[in-house]
Amino acid sequence: MLVRDAMSTVVLTIGPTHTLRQAARLMSARHVGAAVVLDPDTYGLGILTERDVLNSLALGQNPDTEIAGTHTTTEVVFASPAWTLEDAADAMAHGGFRHLIVMDGNEPTGIVSVRDIIRCWAPDRRASAQLTG
């Protein structure tokens, strides 16, 4: 199975000046664990995850004044829609992260998460268990 089969095509995109509270509200409303942060001044892409928001709160920072750009990961590993789910899982395991921005050319076309991969693999594993059990 390929990344294009598992990825979410609903990509939440925010700017680097969104506050963490604004970002959290948008992620919560869309039921996603990450947002693509697009900086129009640098044309760069980054990712802000629920863990980034949580880490900021744990440090006692104010989510109404902390901005996404300060907490964004900018050294991002991008996935191709043609990657296998094994390729995506390997990249996540080696990089220590749970989301990959999926790029088709220069455009983000989706996000694939560990949860997406598990959801795709789980039916295969249940079918295998039934055949051997």
Side-chain angles (χ1 to χ4, degrees), residues 71-122:
H71 299 276
T72 297
T73 300
T74 55
E75 293 181 22
V76 179
V77 175
F78 298 104
S80 162
W83 279 15
T84 65
L85 293 185
E86 288 81 4
D87 292 334
D90 285 344
M92 290 177 190
H94 286 98
F97 41 82
R98 299 178 294 163
H99 299 86
L100 290 170
I101 299 173
V102 182
M103 299 290 286
D104 194 2
N106 291 329
E107 294 294 318
T109 58
I111 292 186
V112 65
S113 69
V114 170
R115 182 177 294 163
D116 296 327
I117 293 171
I118 291 170
R119 187 188 64 219
C120 289
W121 282 350

Side-chain angles (χ1 to χ4, degrees), residues 21-100:
R21 184 175 309 279
Q22 291 169 324
R25 280 186 180 141
L26 290 167
M27 288 189 288
S28 178
R30 298 210 181 157
H31 306 288
V32 297
V36 173
V37 181
L38 175 61
D39 189 338
D41 295 331
T42 65
Y43 301 103
L45 287 178
I47 191 165
L48 179 76
T49 68
E50 56 199 356
R51 181 170 289 166
D52 297 322
V53 175
L54 181 66
N55 287 339
S56 175
L57 291 174
L59 291 172
Q61 296 173 334
N62 184 341
D64 293 313
T65 58
E66 288 295 314
I67 59 171
T70 305
H71 299 276
T72 297
T73 300
T74 55
E75 293 181 22
V76 179
V77 175
F78 298 104
S80 162
W83 279 15
T84 65
L85 293 185
E86 288 81 4
D87 292 334
D90 285 344
M92 290 177 190
H94 286 98
F97 41 82
R98 299 178 294 163
H99 299 86
L100 290 170

Side-chain angles (χ1 to χ4, degrees), residues 9-33:
T9 56
V10 176
V11 179
L12 173 60
T13 303
I14 63 171
T17 59
H18 276 79
T19 67
L20 292 186
R21 184 175 309 279
Q22 291 169 324
R25 280 186 180 141
L26 290 167
M27 288 189 288
S28 178
R30 298 210 181 157
H31 306 288
V32 297

